[in-house]
Amino acid sequence: QVQLVESGGGSVQAGGSLRLSCAASGYTYSRGCMGWFRQAPGKEREGVAVISTGGGNTFYLNSVKGRFTISQDNAKNAKNTLYLQMNSLKPEDTGMYYCAAVSGSCSWSPHDFSYWGQGTQVTVSS
């Protein structure tokens, strides 16, 4: 059974940084995809960054390019952990951030992802 647990959210002023982590247990797909999604109040959930677990190819939402970096740590004998380094944060980055995973190819649609964490709140004040 796949379990995803996020951590690292919090409140920060505009221009600040946060690093989100997602500990993935039971996820062993070497050719799958993991990603970060976010949802602001009253808005639909949107993809922020995704990474192919096999080749390490990364894809970003245009508005976060150059500010956010997605990475994974799946070294042998280590827990599969997904990260999202967020720099130069803006108030519009505020929302609940979710870690997600799927056994197939990367996609921007939340509906294509099979496994989800509970989310971690990120609040950026101006």
Side-chain angles (χ1 to χ4, degrees):
Q1 183 178 357
V2 176
Q3 288 189 327
L4 306 176
V5 180
E6 304 97 335
S7 60
S11 296
V12 65
Q13 288 192 329
S17 298
L18 285 172
R19 188 192 196 202
L20 306 184
S21 298
C22 172
S25 59
Y27 182 77
T28 58
Y29 301 106
S30 61
R31 295 184 179 182
C33 182
M34 296 186 74
W36 291 96
F37 290 75
R38 67 186 180 191
Q39 188 166 19
K43 294 189 176 181
E44 292 187 353
R45 192 170 297 189
E46 65 176 354
V48 175
V50 296
I51 183 168
S52 60
T53 56
N57 296 319
T58 57
F59 306 91
Y60 295 93
L61 182 68
N62 281 340
S63 62
V64 308
K65 284 182 180 177
R67 300 188 297 121
F68 290 13
T69 303
I70 187 172
S71 62
Q72 59 179 349
D73 178 7
N74 55 2
K76 191 176 181 181
N77 298 325
K79 280 189 176 181
N80 190 357
T81 305
L82 186 72
Y83 301 100
L84 185 68
Q85 177 66 44
M86 305 186 295
N87 299 327
S88 302
L89 282 161
K90 303 176 180 180
E92 50 263 43
D93 295 319
T94 294
M96 186 69 77
Y97 281 68
Y98 298 91
C99 173
V102 66
S103 61
S105 301
C106 283
S107 166
W108 282 118
S109 172
H111 302 290
D112 292 334
F113 283 76
S114 306
Y115 310 105
W116 291 87
Q118 293 300 307
T120 184
Q121 178 68 35
V122 171
T123 303
V124 184
S125 57
S126 57

